[in-house]
Amino acid sequence: MEIRAVGALLRRFRLLTWAFPLYERYVAFDSKVRKRHAEFNENRANDLPLPPPHMIMKVAGTPEPLFYFQGGELAAESIVAILSRHDIEIQNLGAILDFGCGCGRVLRQWRHLDAVEIHGTDYNQALTKWCSRNLPFARIANNRLVPPTGYPDNRFDFVYALSVLTHLAEPLQLTWMNEFRRILRPSGVLFLSLHGDSYLPSLNEQERAIFLKGQAVTRFERSEGTNLCCAFHPESFVRKVLAKDFDVIDYVPEGATGNPHQDVWLLRKR
Ligand SMILES: C[S@@+](CC[C@H](N)C(=O)[O-])C[C@H]1O[C@@H](n2cnc3c(N)ncnc32)[C@H](O)[C@@H]1O
């Protein structure tokens, strides 16, 4: 059966939490995918290593190496671009954190920022282990699904979370926002990518009604932290609830070019 058809069936019949990891594994162990990985690795012999397909699947929703590389580059470009629009040059920052770094899709893009402390953390231990072994320029940590992290107060100039709050239910999103505020220095900046208006067509009628009332929508709340759990964020919810203790510096609908079609929010700690 076609990979896409298996995915569609699982979603349609909501075969839930236990089946989703099996589906991710199944997709990643497809022989054609593994062949493309081998070819990609041969051609990129001098670059940082490529994570195995099942890890790429976990962070990108597809095991394809091209998406991992190109998407990572685009994501880093979108971060650099929005920061510089606000006169922040990433190479001049002291310490930055990739929250929910996965297997380093974006983290690896900072390998040439010699003067910046590069940190990554994720709650998935297999992914952080891979990063620790393969991205030696970065300081990698492991956190739990719920805060806090082990970082001291005011530790970072910049924290970004690409497609991470999109996989948590609202109460946990809010506690993580408090933790980001704690570990950012005063006036430090937070970059979030979220599922906004562009996802409206993929919501069912009931979800759409909630979204249009300005409330966050979450699917599969009991699978928080996995890609099965999916959260959607109307603009007014972000402004009034999620980012209430931050100043909104910028909002770019569908601006997360490495995580299509997510919105970008740039927030400053008060
Ligand atoms: C869709 S992936 C995105 C990975 C990475 N940010 C990227 O853009 O390539 C979501 C990531 O968030 C991580 N994650 C989910 N909940 C988390 C939490 N509470 N703390 C840290 N990481 C979390 C997952 O393990 C996964 O690596």
Side-chain angles (χ1 to χ4, degrees):
M1 192 186 288
E2 271 283 314
I3 284 170
R4 269 167 210 248
V6 174
L9 266 181
L10 286 177
R11 274 177 227 272
R12 172 122 191 244
F13 294 106
R14 304 204 161 198
L15 287 179
L16 299 177
T17 318
W18 62 268
F20 191 70
L22 293 180
Y23 160 69
E24 286 184 320
R25 285 261 159 184
Y26 169 76
V27 172
F29 283 96
D30 182 84
S31 62
K32 288 187 217 125
V33 168
R34 300 193 80 77
K35 192 162 164 254
R36 282 197 288 280
H37 264 248
E39 285 165 4
F40 218 84
N41 257 335
E42 263 173 39
N43 296 335
R44 299 188 62 94
N46 294 324
D47 200 356
L48 295 166
L50 181 67
H54 69 277
M55 289 194 183
I56 294 186
M57 181 70 195
K58 280 223 171 296
V59 304
T62 158
E64 293 301 334
L66 199 61
F67 185 86
Y68 173 85
F69 276 110
Q70 291 182 343
E73 281 169 4
L74 285 171
E77 279 167 25
S78 71
I79 290 174
V80 169
I82 198 167
L83 286 178
S84 48
R85 265 221 308 271
H86 298 279
D87 299 322
I88 303 166
E89 302 306 327
I90 197 161
Q91 68 274 13
N92 296 336
L93 295 176
I96 68 178
L97 174 66
D98 184 330
F99 178 76
C101 62
C103 52
R105 191 178 71 104
V106 183
L107 201 57
R108 65 193 296 138
Q109 310 298 331
W110 313 126
R111 60 193 175 283
H112 303 305
L113 292 182
D114 297 332
V116 185
E117 264 185 38
I118 312 289
H119 294 253
T121 186
D122 200 288
Y123 93 111
N124 182 318
Q125 290 189 20
L127 301 180
T128 51
K129 207 163 161 184
W130 187 91
C131 287
S132 299
R133 285 198 182 138
N134 295 289
L135 306 178
F137 58 89
R139 305 179 192 193
I140 304 297
N142 209 213
N143 60 269
R144 291 170 192 257
L145 189 63
V146 296
T149 59
Y151 303 114
D153 295 357
N154 307 322
R155 178 70 178 86
F156 296 104
D157 301 287
F158 177 54
V159 174
Y160 63 93
L162 275 158
S163 197
V164 183
L165 298 192
T166 46
H167 300 292
L168 299 174
E170 185 177 331
L172 207 42
Q173 294 172 28
L174 298 178
T175 55
W176 275 112
M177 290 299 282
N178 287 335
E179 177 67 358
F180 297 151
R181 208 152 49 88
R182 184 186 71 77
I183 61 178
L184 275 169
R185 68 161 165 77
S187 300
V189 171
L190 175 65
F191 173 112
L192 301 175
S193 79
L194 302 173
H195 295 135
D197 283 1
S198 63
Y199 287 81
L200 258 174
S202 67
L203 301 183
N204 66 33
E205 213 173 304
Q206 200 186 356
E207 292 168 335
R208 192 176 304 194
I210 297 172
F211 188 97
L212 291 174
K213 269 197 273 173
Q215 292 166 12
V217 171
T218 313
R219 285 180 187 158
F220 297 108
E221 293 202 0
R222 296 221 309 240
S223 299
E224 281 185 292
T226 74
N227 290 342
L228 184 63
C229 173
C230 216
F232 302 87
H233 300 86
E235 178 184 349
S236 60
F237 170 82
V238 179
R239 290 188 188 275
K240 286 188 202 149
V241 182
L242 197 66
K244 69 180 179 351
D245 297 318
F246 289 80
D247 291 323
V248 175
I249 321 177
D250 211 339
Y251 162 54
V252 188
E254 299 194 55
T257 46
N259 296 66
H261 300 267
Q262 297 188 20
D263 296 345
V264 165
W265 289 87
L266 199 66
L267 312 173
R268 196 187 295 280
K269 175 174 168 177
R270 285 189 193 126

Coordinates of all heavy atoms in Angstrom, one line a residue, residues 15-60:
L15 N -6.5 5.9 14.5 CA -6.0 4.7 15.2 C -4.9 5.1 16.2 O -3.9 4.4 16.4 CB -5.5 3.7 14.1 CG -6.6 3.0 13.4 CD1 -6.0 2.0 12.4 CD2 -7.5 2.2 14.3
L16 N -4.9 6.2 16.5 CA -4.4 6.8 17.7 C -2.9 6.5 18.1 O -2.1 6.0 17.3 CB -5.3 6.5 18.9 CG -6.7 7.1 18.7 CD1 -7.6 6.7 19.9 CD2 -6.6 8.5 18.6
T17 N -2.7 6.7 19.3 CA -1.4 6.9 19.9 C -0.4 5.7 19.6 O 0.7 5.9 19.2 CB -1.5 7.0 21.4 OG1 -2.6 7.9 21.6 CG2 -0.3 7.6 22.0
W18 N -0.9 4.5 19.7 CA 0.0 3.4 19.5 C 0.4 3.2 18.1 O 1.5 2.7 17.8 CB -0.6 2.1 20.1 CG -1.9 1.7 19.4 CD1 -3.1 2.0 19.8 CD2 -2.0 0.9 18.3 NE1 -4.0 1.4 18.9 CE2 -3.4 0.7 18.0 CE3 -1.1 0.2 17.4 CZ2 -3.8 0.0 16.9 CZ3 -1.5 -0.5 16.3 CH2 -2.9 -0.6 16.1
A19 N -0.5 3.5 17.2 CA -0.3 3.2 15.8 C 0.7 4.3 15.1 O 1.4 4.0 14.2 CB -1.6 3.2 15.0
F20 N 0.7 5.5 15.6 CA 1.4 6.6 15.0 C 2.9 6.3 15.0 O 3.5 6.5 13.9 CB 1.1 7.9 15.6 CG 1.6 9.1 14.9 CD1 1.0 9.4 13.6 CD2 2.6 9.8 15.3 CE1 1.5 10.5 12.9 CE2 3.1 10.9 14.6 CZ 2.5 11.2 13.4
P21 N 3.5 5.9 16.1 CA 5.0 5.6 16.1 C 5.3 4.5 15.1 O 6.3 4.5 14.4 CB 5.3 5.2 17.5 CG 4.2 5.8 18.3 CD 3.0 5.8 17.5
L22 N 4.4 3.5 15.0 CA 4.6 2.4 14.0 C 4.6 2.9 12.6 O 5.4 2.6 11.8 CB 3.5 1.3 14.2 CG 3.5 0.6 15.5 CD1 2.4 -0.5 15.5 CD2 4.8 -0.1 15.7
Y23 N 3.6 3.8 12.4 CA 3.5 4.5 11.0 C 4.8 5.2 10.7 O 5.4 5.1 9.6 CB 2.3 5.4 11.0 CG 2.3 6.4 9.9 CD1 2.2 6.1 8.6 CD2 2.5 7.8 10.2 CE1 2.2 7.0 7.6 CE2 2.5 8.7 9.3 CZ 2.4 8.4 7.9 OH 2.4 9.3 7.0
E24 N 5.3 6.0 11.7 CA 6.6 6.8 11.5 C 7.7 5.8 11.1 O 8.5 6.1 10.2 CB 6.9 7.6 12.7 CG 6.0 8.8 12.9 CD 6.4 9.7 14.1 OE1 6.8 9.1 15.1 OE2 6.4 10.9 14.0
R25 N 7.8 4.7 11.9 CA 8.9 3.7 11.6 C 8.7 3.1 10.2 O 9.7 3.0 9.5 CB 8.8 2.6 12.7 CG 9.3 3.0 14.0 CD 10.7 2.5 14.2 NE 11.4 3.3 15.2 CZ 12.7 3.2 15.5 NH1 13.5 2.4 14.9 NH2 13.2 4.0 16.5
Y26 N 7.5 2.7 9.9 CA 7.2 2.1 8.6 C 7.6 3.0 7.5 O 8.3 2.5 6.6 CB 5.7 1.8 8.5 CG 5.2 1.4 7.2 CD1 5.5 0.1 6.7 CD2 4.6 2.2 6.3 CE1 5.1 -0.3 5.4 CE2 4.2 1.9 5.1 CZ 4.5 0.6 4.6 OH 4.1 0.2 3.4
V27 N 7.3 4.2 7.6 CA 7.6 5.2 6.5 C 9.2 5.3 6.4 O 9.7 5.3 5.3 CB 7.0 6.6 6.8 CG1 7.5 7.6 5.8 CG2 5.5 6.5 6.7
A28 N 9.8 5.4 7.5 CA 11.3 5.6 7.5 C 12.0 4.4 7.1 O 13.2 4.6 6.6 CB 11.7 6.0 8.9
F29 N 11.5 3.2 7.2 CA 12.2 2.0 6.8 C 11.9 1.6 5.4 O 12.4 0.5 4.9 CB 12.1 0.9 7.8 CG 12.9 1.2 9.0 CD1 12.4 1.8 10.1 CD2 14.3 0.9 9.0 CE1 13.2 2.1 11.2 CE2 15.1 1.1 10.1 CZ 14.6 1.7 11.2
D30 N 11.2 2.4 4.7 CA 10.9 2.1 3.2 C 12.3 2.0 2.5 O 13.2 2.8 2.7 CB 10.1 3.3 2.7 CG 9.7 3.0 1.2 OD1 8.7 2.3 1.0 OD2 10.4 3.6 0.4
S31 N 12.4 1.0 1.7 CA 13.7 0.7 1.0 C 14.1 1.9 0.1 O 15.3 2.2 0.0 CB 13.7 -0.6 0.3 OG 12.7 -0.6 -0.7
K32 N 13.1 2.5 -0.6 CA 13.5 3.6 -1.5 C 14.0 4.8 -0.7 O 14.9 5.5 -1.1 CB 12.2 4.0 -2.3 CG 11.8 3.0 -3.3 CD 10.7 3.6 -4.2 CE 9.8 2.5 -4.6 NZ 8.4 2.7 -4.2
V33 N 13.4 5.0 0.5 CA 13.9 6.1 1.3 C 15.3 5.9 1.7 O 16.2 6.7 1.7 CB 13.0 6.3 2.5 CG1 13.6 7.2 3.6 CG2 11.6 6.8 2.1
R34 N 15.6 4.6 2.1 CA 16.9 4.3 2.6 C 18.0 4.4 1.5 O 19.1 4.9 1.7 CB 17.0 2.9 3.2 CG 16.0 2.7 4.4 CD 16.2 1.5 5.2 NE 17.3 1.6 6.1 CZ 17.2 2.2 7.3 NH1 16.1 2.8 7.6 NH2 18.3 2.3 8.1
K35 N 17.6 4.1 0.3 CA 18.4 4.2 -0.9 C 18.8 5.7 -1.1 O 19.9 6.1 -1.3 CB 17.8 3.7 -2.1 CG 18.7 3.5 -3.3 CD 18.1 2.5 -4.3 CE 18.9 2.7 -5.6 NZ 18.1 3.4 -6.7
R36 N 17.7 6.6 -1.0 CA 18.0 8.0 -1.2 C 18.9 8.5 -0.1 O 19.7 9.4 -0.3 CB 16.7 8.8 -1.2 CG 15.9 8.6 -2.6 CD 14.9 9.7 -2.7 NE 13.7 9.5 -1.9 CZ 12.7 8.6 -2.2 NH1 12.8 7.9 -3.3 NH2 11.7 8.5 -1.4
H37 N 18.8 8.0 1.1 CA 19.7 8.4 2.2 C 21.1 8.1 1.9 O 22.0 8.9 2.1 CB 19.2 7.7 3.5 CG 18.4 8.6 4.3 ND1 18.8 9.2 5.5 CD2 17.1 9.1 4.1 CE1 17.8 9.9 6.0 NE2 16.8 9.9 5.2
A38 N 21.3 6.8 1.4 CA 22.7 6.4 1.1 C 23.3 7.3 0.0 O 24.4 7.7 0.1 CB 22.6 4.9 0.7
E39 N 22.5 7.6 -1.0 CA 23.0 8.4 -2.1 C 23.3 9.8 -1.6 O 24.4 10.4 -1.9 CB 21.9 8.5 -3.2 CG 21.8 7.3 -4.0 CD 20.6 7.3 -4.9 OE1 19.8 8.3 -4.9 OE2 20.3 6.2 -5.5
F40 N 22.4 10.3 -0.7 CA 22.6 11.7 -0.2 C 23.9 11.7 0.6 O 24.7 12.7 0.5 CB 21.4 12.1 0.6 CG 21.0 13.5 0.5 CD1 20.2 13.9 -0.6 CD2 21.5 14.4 1.4 CE1 19.8 15.2 -0.7 CE2 21.1 15.8 1.2 CZ 20.3 16.1 0.2
N41 N 24.1 10.7 1.4 CA 25.3 10.7 2.3 C 26.6 10.6 1.5 O 27.5 11.3 1.8 CB 25.2 9.4 3.2 CG 24.8 9.8 4.6 OD1 25.0 10.9 5.0 ND2 24.2 8.9 5.3
E42 N 26.6 9.8 0.4 CA 27.7 9.7 -0.4 C 28.1 11.1 -1.0 O 29.3 11.5 -1.0 CB 27.5 8.8 -1.6 CG 28.0 7.4 -1.4 CD 27.5 6.5 -2.5 OE1 27.5 6.9 -3.6 OE2 27.1 5.4 -2.2
N43 N 27.1 11.8 -1.5 CA 27.3 13.1 -2.1 C 27.7 14.2 -1.1 O 28.2 15.3 -1.5 CB 26.1 13.6 -2.9 CG 25.8 12.6 -4.0 OD1 26.7 11.9 -4.5 ND2 24.6 12.6 -4.4
R44 N 27.4 14.0 0.2 CA 27.7 15.0 1.2 C 28.7 14.6 2.2 O 28.7 14.9 3.3 CB 26.4 15.4 1.9 CG 25.3 15.9 1.0 CD 24.2 16.5 1.8 NE 24.6 17.6 2.6 CZ 24.5 18.9 2.3 NH1 24.0 19.2 1.1 NH2 24.9 19.8 3.1
A45 N 29.7 13.8 1.7 CA 30.7 13.2 2.5 C 31.4 14.1 3.4 O 31.8 13.8 4.5 CB 31.7 12.4 1.7
N46 N 31.6 15.4 3.0 CA 32.4 16.3 3.8 C 31.6 17.1 4.8 O 32.1 17.9 5.6 CB 33.2 17.2 2.9 CG 34.2 16.5 2.2 OD1 34.8 15.5 2.7 ND2 34.5 16.9 0.9
D47 N 30.3 17.0 4.8 CA 29.5 17.8 5.6 C 29.2 17.0 6.9 O 29.6 15.9 7.1 CB 28.2 18.2 4.9 CG 27.5 19.4 5.6 OD1 28.0 19.9 6.6 OD2 26.5 19.8 5.0
L48 N 28.4 17.7 7.8 CA 28.0 17.0 9.1 C 27.2 15.8 8.7 O 26.5 15.8 7.7 CB 27.2 17.9 9.9 CG 28.0 19.2 10.5 CD1 27.0 20.2 11.0 CD2 29.0 18.7 11.6
P49 N 27.2 14.7 9.5 CA 26.4 13.5 9.2 C 24.9 13.8 9.1 O 24.4 14.7 9.7 CB 26.7 12.6 10.4 CG 27.8 13.2 11.1 CD 27.9 14.6 10.8
L50 N 24.3 12.9 8.3 CA 22.8 12.9 8.1 C 22.2 12.0 9.2 O 22.7 10.8 9.3 CB 22.5 12.4 6.7 CG 21.1 12.3 6.2 CD1 20.6 13.7 6.1 CD2 21.1 11.6 4.9
P51 N 21.2 12.4 9.9 CA 20.5 11.5 10.9 C 19.8 10.4 10.1 O 19.5 10.6 8.9 CB 19.5 12.4 11.6 CG 19.8 13.8 11.2 CD 20.6 13.8 9.9
P52 N 19.6 9.3 10.8 CA 18.8 8.2 10.1 C 17.4 8.6 9.8 O 16.8 9.5 10.4 CB 18.8 7.1 11.2 CG 19.2 7.7 12.4 CD 19.9 9.0 12.2
P53 N 16.8 7.9 8.8 CA 15.5 8.3 8.3 C 14.4 8.4 9.4 O 13.6 9.3 9.4 CB 15.1 7.2 7.3 CG 16.4 6.6 6.9 CD 17.3 6.8 8.0
H54 N 14.4 7.5 10.4 CA 13.3 7.5 11.4 C 13.5 8.8 12.2 O 12.5 9.3 12.7 CB 13.3 6.2 12.2 CG 14.4 6.1 13.1 ND1 15.7 5.5 12.7 CD2 14.6 6.3 14.5 CE1 16.5 5.5 13.8 NE2 15.9 6.0 14.8
M55 N 14.7 9.3 12.4 CA 14.8 10.5 13.2 C 14.4 11.8 12.4 O 13.7 12.7 12.9 CB 16.3 10.7 13.6 CG 16.7 9.8 14.7 SD 18.3 10.2 15.4 CE 18.5 8.8 16.5
I56 N 14.7 11.8 11.1 CA 14.3 12.8 10.2 C 12.7 12.9 10.2 O 12.1 13.9 10.2 CB 14.9 12.7 8.8 CG1 16.4 12.9 8.9 CG2 14.2 13.7 7.9 CD1 17.1 13.0 7.6
M57 N 12.2 11.7 10.1 CA 10.7 11.5 10.1 C 10.1 12.2 11.3 O 9.1 12.9 11.3 CB 10.4 10.0 10.1 CG 8.9 9.7 10.0 SD 8.2 10.2 8.5 CE 6.5 10.1 8.9
K58 N 10.7 12.0 12.5 CA 10.2 12.6 13.7 C 10.2 14.1 13.7 O 9.3 14.7 14.3 CB 11.0 12.1 14.9 CG 10.7 10.7 15.4 CD 10.7 10.7 16.9 CE 10.1 9.4 17.4 NZ 8.7 9.1 17.0
V59 N 11.2 14.8 13.1 CA 11.2 16.2 13.1 C 10.6 16.9 11.9 O 10.2 18.0 12.0 CB 12.6 16.8 13.3 CG1 13.3 16.2 14.5 CG2 13.5 16.5 12.1
A60 N 10.5 16.2 10.8 CA 10.1 16.8 9.6 C 8.8 16.3 9.0 O 8.2 16.8 8.1 CB 11.2 16.7 8.5

